[in-house]
Amino acid sequence: MVLVILTGVTGGLVSGCGGGGTSSAAGRASLNWYVFPEHSGAFDQAASDCSQASGGRYTISIQTLPSDADGQ
């Protein structure tokens, strides 16, 4: 189940990397990715790779959600 979720989330993020469009004159956008705690570093690496692939159009920041349902 976790693998299915990881695949879907990572696939969605990677598909958004380096897409077309023009950069805004206002500067770099900051995107927040709210995600469950994932300790392998895969989400951090994906956010970094995608931010670099954007060519400066945006940066992605990881916002870790609490592990318990009540905290989320």
Side-chain angles (χ1 to χ4, degrees), residues 45-65:
Q45 186 63 49
S48 176
D49 291 347
C50 199
S51 293
Q52 288 177 0
S54 78
R57 291 186 306 269
Y58 56 82
T59 58
I60 299 173
S61 299
I62 300 287
Q63 305 299 325
T64 306
L65 296 171

Side-chain angles (χ1 to χ4, degrees), residues 1-49:
M1 171 111 168
V2 172
L3 181 58
V4 171
I5 293 169
L6 278 175
T7 302
V9 170
T10 304
L13 179 66
V14 172
S15 68
C17 291
T22 60
S23 47
S24 170
R28 181 184 301 202
S30 179
L31 306 174
N32 289 305
W33 183 12
Y34 293 90
V35 67
F36 60 89
E38 193 279 317
H39 303 291
S40 76
F43 289 166
D44 291 323
Q45 186 63 49
S48 176
D49 291 347

